[in-house]
Amino acid sequence: MRDMGRREHEFQEADKNRVLLWCARHCCLCGKFAGLGIEIAHIDPQKSDIDNAMPLCFDCHAAIGHYNASHPRGRKYSIPELKARRDQVYDEHTQHLIAPVPYRVFQDGVKLPKVPFAIENHGMTYPLQARVIINLRQGDAALGCPPTAGHYNGLYLWNLNPRQAVRGNFEMPYGFDEKSSAKLVARVEITLIDTYKREHNLLPGGYILDRGQAGDWYFEPCEEQLGAKGEHP
């Protein structure tokens, strides 16, 4: 049953609080501090999820709704443009909450099919959470995510306090052929979540196993070398 105390398509109070924290009460179009004169606008009038919310000052809220399609002057704000501009303002006011977070896939004497993984919060002030998704490929075969609980498929969040390093390990997925010489690739996607619950997606990177004498993984930053994105929950 719909909550009769809320208007249809109205945002949840928790979502309103989040977006106001993310922009620090700055208008997400003109960028000016609005203070009490700020409203949570609907980018799409029919949707009330947090991705459709946009904090705006009174003038900008009116501006995004003023457009006569039958006699256009200028250019209407598109939904992709509004979301991109809003995210610019969110980033400006939350980037200080994110610290460098190095991670790596390595062997360090451990034998396959077990593979160690380490991640660290290099910040001095703010705790973070990390969503880790690792997809593995061997040659042309997509092996998917490691079968280790939910740590490497994005189901669980890793808690990273300031200056804390976490080391874990995963098993190679079903279908891995230890005797094969085909290229073994680990594609890593990391999403960092700040103390205001805003998500910051790092660009995907990955590792390729050196089958030579070194027998360890080397970092590969190029999407083409990592192959297609695997499936995960």
Side-chain angles (χ1 to χ4, degrees), residues 2-179:
R2 184 167 64 88
D3 183 359
M4 300 305 293
R6 290 179 64 235
R7 292 178 299 171
E8 189 174 9
H9 306 308
E10 185 178 351
F11 297 112
Q12 298 281 350
E13 282 299 313
D15 289 342
K16 292 179 183 179
N17 292 335
R18 283 188 182 182
V19 299
L20 289 174
L21 285 171
W22 292 350
C23 70
R25 286 186 174 261
H26 288 72
C27 175
C28 289
L29 190 59
C30 69
K32 295 180 180 178
F33 179 71
L36 296 177
I38 198 163
E39 299 177 305
I40 313 299
H42 291 76
I43 297 175
D44 182 334
Q46 302 303 312
K47 298 180 180 179
S48 58
D49 57 283
I50 195 169
D51 186 53
N52 192 54
M54 186 172 185
L56 295 171
C57 68
F58 296 154
D59 290 341
C60 288
H61 195 174
I64 69 170
H66 288 177
Y67 186 78
N68 186 345
S70 64
H71 185 66
R73 295 290 302 273
R75 180 176 173 84
K76 180 182 180 180
Y77 290 109
S78 67
I79 288 178
E81 179 189 4
L82 289 172
K83 287 188 174 183
R85 173 56 183 152
R86 175 202 61 191
D87 290 348
Q88 284 181 328
V89 176
Y90 285 169
D91 287 342
E92 179 182 353
H93 295 284
T94 59
Q95 62 184 355
H96 66 286
L97 302 173
I98 296 296
V101 178
Y103 63 87
R104 65 189 182 108
V105 174
F106 57 102
Q107 285 303 132
D108 195 23
V110 178
K111 293 184 178 181
L112 290 171
K114 183 174 290 187
V115 181
F117 174 82
I119 187 169
E120 182 173 357
N121 179 357
H122 275 193
M124 299 290 291
T125 307
Y126 299 106
L128 296 170
Q129 289 182 306
R131 180 181 298 113
V132 179
I133 297 174
I134 299 179
N135 276 287
L136 294 126
R137 297 183 64 85
Q138 187 170 33
D140 294 330
L143 303 178
C145 296
T148 310
H151 294 88
Y152 300 97
N153 64 5
L155 180 61
Y156 298 154
L157 297 179
W158 298 51
N159 291 331
L160 302 174
N161 289 311
R163 305 301 297 174
Q164 183 179 32
V166 180
R167 173 171 170 167
N169 61 76
F170 58 85
E171 298 279 347
M172 295 299 297
Y174 177 79
F176 166 66
D177 184 355
E178 192 169 353
K179 297 180 180 179

